[in-house]
Amino acid sequence: MTSNAHPEELGAFLRARRAELSPRTVGLPADTGRRRVAGLRREEVAQLAAISTDYYTRLEQGRIQASAPVLDALTRVLHLDDDQRDYMLGLAGRPDNRPPRRTLQKVQPRLRRLLDDLNTTPAIVLGRRMDILAWNPLAAALVADFSEIPEKQRNYIRLVFTDPRMRELYADWESVAHTCVAQLRMEAARDPGNPRLAALVGELSLQDADFRRWWAAHHVAVRGIGTKTLRHPVVGDLTLDWDTLASTTDTDQQLVLWTAEPGTPTHDALRILASWTDTGPARDAPHRPPSTPARLEP
């Protein structure tokens, strides 16, 4: 075994993935009898990957290290996407072996300057573990006043799971929260020995049953693009596209932007919210969105 391999986690990941597949999904004849396990059997995975059942069993039990060809075959058999394949390779000890960094992250100056100039686009900078490193006033008005949260607790996934207002804000809270867990799973594979990440997982596992269940499912994802529907208490329902831009000077920092198609009710609502918002520099200064205007219907 290589020193950075995590065979038990790899075995759990493989078991979770085969449990999601049916014989029909992978081209095997339909099984009319009662199956003792959900998804594919070990011998079926082994057959499709052209390896022995004993070899695959020992791999799931964490007793051997898989070769690169076997991992490629399992990627195909288990229908893994790119994110899942990267995660599997990380658990097998075969990805980039960059040493983990333990220093407290600070937002890159270039990203902070960019935040300062974004007056009509909500934006935040996320670091490792989805720590919130910086934000502009419109993001605070849209999501939450991050300055009221102690710096060491300023983490997006913690906010999603522990702040009841986030469940009200996101129309599809479950999808948002599940994606956050999958993103955190990917980060855990890149830096499995990070004590702050382990502490965050332990904290959320104790506090939330959904987090425990989704963490155990071993789903993985990376930040990218998407669309979210928000139920804002001031400007009403918003349908926002979100994009993630990675910093070239620090790939562990991502700028997340929320935008709307020009001419749509959401775009107009953002402009109204921006007009009520302090558009000063994107520092950690407190900001509170207006409380007196009536709710606007899109």
Side-chain angles (χ1 to χ4, degrees):
M1 297 282 180
T2 59
S3 60
N4 59 333
H6 300 272
E8 293 183 359
E9 286 287 302
L10 176 60
F13 176 76
L14 294 175
R15 290 192 296 273
R17 296 290 72 78
R18 70 177 170 90
E20 295 177 337
L21 298 174
S22 67
R24 180 174 298 177
T25 302
V26 296
L28 293 175
D31 189 348
T32 57
R34 188 170 185 177
R35 301 178 71 86
R36 297 175 57 187
V37 296
L40 297 178
R41 300 186 179 100
R42 283 175 174 170
E43 56 266 29
E44 291 170 333
V45 175
Q47 174 190 345
L48 293 167
I51 57 179
S52 71
T53 301
D54 179 65
Y55 181 98
Y56 181 74
T57 299
R58 286 186 290 153
L59 182 60
E60 277 200 359
Q61 293 173 344
R63 295 162 53 195
I64 59 172
Q65 183 175 18
S67 65
V70 167
L71 293 172
D72 288 341
L74 292 176
T75 297
R76 171 181 53 81
V77 170
L78 297 176
H79 294 195
L80 304 184
D81 59 28
D82 290 343
D83 294 343
Q84 291 170 329
R85 178 181 180 274
D86 290 345
Y87 180 74
M88 180 182 68
L89 293 177
L91 295 179
R94 295 187 174 275
D96 179 3
N97 294 327
R98 291 175 299 175
R101 287 176 285 177
R102 310 297 188 203
T103 57
L104 187 64
Q105 276 185 297
K106 296 295 183 182
V107 63
Q108 289 288 319
R110 290 179 177 84
L111 290 181
R112 186 177 289 283
R113 289 199 300 269
L114 180 57
L115 285 177
D116 290 344
D117 290 336
L118 292 173
N119 295 326
T120 59
T121 300
I124 63 175
V125 176
L126 295 181
R128 296 188 295 274
R129 303 170 301 274
M130 283 180 278
D131 288 345
I132 301 166
L133 304 182
W135 61 93
N136 65 2
L138 190 52
L142 179 70
V143 181
D145 189 347
F146 304 114
S147 66
E148 293 183 344
I149 305 171
E151 184 176 1
K152 291 186 178 180
Q153 299 178 15
R154 218 174 273 160
N155 177 277
Y156 203 82
I157 190 170
R158 178 187 281 115
L159 190 65
V160 166
F161 277 95
T162 62
D163 192 331
R165 293 172 296 181
M166 299 296 279
R167 296 176 186 261
E168 295 295 326
L169 178 66
Y170 285 114
D172 190 1
W173 176 89
E174 183 170 321
S175 176
V176 171
H178 189 275
T179 299
C180 285
V181 175
Q183 292 170 344
L184 193 65
R185 257 294 178 192
M186 181 63 80
E187 297 216 13
R190 294 181 181 138
D191 191 6
N194 190 302
R196 293 190 62 190
L197 191 149
L200 176 63
V201 170
E203 172 192 342
L204 296 180
S205 295
L206 289 173
Q207 293 188 26
D208 194 278
D210 285 330
F211 182 91
R212 288 196 302 274
R213 176 164 53 89
W214 294 333
W215 185 259
H218 288 261
H219 291 292
V220 291
V222 295
R223 301 172 195 146
I225 61 174
T227 301
K228 293 178 181 176
T229 300
L230 278 63
R231 297 176 295 212
H232 195 272
V234 175
V235 293
D237 293 345
L238 306 170
T239 301
L240 294 166
D241 296 324
W242 61 274
D243 294 86
T244 302
L245 308 177
S247 169
T248 56
T249 54
D250 184 350
T251 56
D252 285 336
Q253 295 192 22
Q254 286 84 28
L255 176 68
V256 182
L257 306 164
W258 288 278
T259 60
E261 187 73 24
T264 62
T266 294
H267 185 264
D268 295 339
L270 277 183
R271 296 280 176 165
I272 293 172
L273 189 61
S275 70
W276 290 333
T277 301
D278 175 18
T279 56
R283 306 299 176 186
D284 294 348
H287 168 76
R288 290 177 175 79
S291 57
T292 54
R295 178 185 176 93
L296 299 179
E297 296 300 333

